Amino acid sequence: MKVILAQPRGFCAGVVRAVEIVERALAKYGAPVYVRHEIVHNGYVVESLKAKGAHFVENLSEVPRGARAIFSAHGVAKSVEEEAATLGLPVIDATCPLVAKVHNQGERYVGEGRSVVLIGHAGHPEVEGTMGRIPGPVYLVQSEADVARLDLSDDTPLAYVTQTTLSVDDTKSVIAALKRRFTDIVGPETKDICYATQNRQSAVRALSRLVDLILVVGAKNSSNSNRLREIGAEAGVPSYLIADRSELDLNLVRDARTIGLTAGASAPEILVHEVIEALRQLGPLDVTLLPGVEEDVEFRLPSELLDA
Ligand code: SF4
């Protein structure tokens, strides 16, 4: 059996930064620190940080007075920031800088007198955070059909922004539908789309031409991991999302000659290695790497943690 590893795969710079923020906060301030929502959508990462003394909460009301609160990589609504201030909680913000950039774009467009259309998935924490950051009307669309249903006149001054875990390819048709319908609409340049999302998706597309089955290591609630699986399936390759080796059904992969293996942006490399080890139970494995983009993006840590 052959296994071809996608490149790039796994942790992006925003996830590396968020995890490091929790680790450094623990080192500097001691346990416990309180993280609002899963710092990134991965059970393994969350459990490892819990073992080091991080507590994960969904509401700031669960954080004891005076304790340090960390906002997750997905970002938060303005109301959450205000709640932290009211509760007197010192906050460390692990919002990915690329998510923060989308917030800034939205605020800028509203300042220019435009209503904002957000292309994204309802209910995702990043989408809730972005909608709660933009100080004006925000319309959430997920598809071309949603664009047709928008209850707005066609000459409304509009701007669009996108959820970061959607790639240029994902948003292309929705943006085209927006531009077809609305006469006064602007949006960010496509180079503003998250590099990590785009690179991981391009790598899966390349992988899908070479393999007869794709495994994506990632959590069920990880938007970008789900999208990687969908891209494999759309290319006609049976594709499965597994959290870790415990979810690998060897009977499902037994007959594959070449397996493509990748991981979502919040899945650590150790889980990929464990899946490879599990596959070795079926016999000798030839593991190779599909050449792809080598990423060197790094995001600056909050200054209060630079000395931790
Ligand atoms: S996928 Fe992109 S936007 Fe999301 S955390 Fe990673 S770098 Fe940031």
Side-chain angles (χ1 to χ4, degrees):
M1 185 182 275
K2 271 181 76 170
V3 170
I4 306 180
L5 293 167
Q7 180 176 290
R9 64 181 179 281
F11 274 14
C12 60
V15 166
V16 169
R17 176 177 180 271
V19 171
E20 200 171 341
I21 283 175
V22 180
E23 287 175 338
R24 285 188 180 228
L26 284 165
K28 182 162 178 175
Y29 302 112
V33 295
Y34 290 79
V35 185
R36 185 186 176 277
H37 194 67
E38 289 187 350
I39 184 77
V40 299
H41 283 157
N42 189 273
Y44 180 93
V45 172
V46 167
E47 289 306 317
S48 327
L49 292 172
K50 270 188 195 168
K52 294 177 184 171
H55 287 225
F56 290 86
V57 298
E58 284 308 312
N59 294 303
L60 291 181
S61 56
E62 300 166 58
V63 182
R65 285 283 159 121
R68 221 154 228 94
I70 300 178
F71 293 156
S72 78
H74 312 97
V76 296
K78 213 146 206 115
S79 58
V80 175
E81 254 180 18
E82 288 163 1
E83 188 187 358
T86 307
L87 293 170
L89 301 174
V91 164
I92 306 173
D93 192 355
T95 303
C96 175
L98 296 183
V99 175
K101 188 171 177 178
V102 175
H103 296 169
N104 294 338
Q105 285 163 348
E107 286 175 25
R108 182 165 50 83
Y109 288 134
V110 169
E112 291 169 4
R114 296 179 179 277
S115 297
V116 174
V117 177
L118 170 60
I119 305 169
H121 297 303
H124 190 278
E126 180 189 325
V127 165
E128 287 173 1
T130 302
M131 293 188 77
R133 279 267 149 192
I134 298 175
V138 187
Y139 302 91
L140 180 64
V141 298
Q142 309 194 45
S143 62
E144 291 180 58
D146 288 347
V147 173
R149 276 194 290 269
L150 280 175
D151 189 14
L152 293 168
S153 70
D154 293 355
D155 59 355
T156 309
L158 283 181
Y160 63 83
V161 293
T162 62
Q163 184 180 342
T164 57
T165 41
L166 301 179
S167 69
V168 177
D169 305 313
D170 288 332
T171 53
K172 219 181 326 192
S173 67
V174 179
I175 291 172
L178 285 167
K179 287 184 173 168
R180 269 197 309 274
R181 179 171 162 198
F182 294 101
T183 52
D184 181 10
I185 185 161
V186 295
E189 306 221 1
T190 51
K191 65 177 169 46
D192 285 346
I193 287 261
C194 167
Y195 77 98
T197 301
Q198 187 67 43
N199 289 347
R200 279 152 192 70
Q201 293 189 2
S202 301
V204 169
R205 278 197 191 88
L207 203 59
S208 66
R209 292 191 277 275
L210 305 171
V211 302
D212 35 38
L213 186 141
I214 290 176
L215 296 173
V216 179
V217 179
K220 298 279 178 292
N221 62 343
S222 158
S223 170
N224 77 86
S225 303
N226 277 289
R227 193 64 196 105
L228 294 178
R229 189 205 65 76
E230 286 164 12
I231 287 168
E234 283 162 15
V237 181
S239 301
Y240 303 94
L241 176 63
I242 53 172
D244 54 35
R245 67 178 293 168
S246 71
E247 290 187 2
L248 175 65
D249 181 351
L250 289 177
N251 290 322
L252 220 54
V253 300
R254 191 175 295 281
D255 296 329
R257 281 211 306 252
T258 308
I259 294 176
L261 184 55
T262 187
S266 43
E269 186 65 7
I270 184 172
L271 299 181
V272 174
H273 285 286
E274 287 179 6
V275 169
I276 293 172
E277 286 317 305
L279 288 170
R280 289 194 199 281
Q281 294 171 53
L282 295 172
L285 275 193
D286 171 19
V287 182
T288 56
L289 180 68
L290 183 66
V293 176
E294 289 192 29
E295 295 174 341
D296 57 1
V297 178
E298 275 182 36
F299 294 133
R300 238 182 98 78
L301 289 163
S303 48
E304 74 171 284
L305 296 178
L306 288 175
D307 61 348

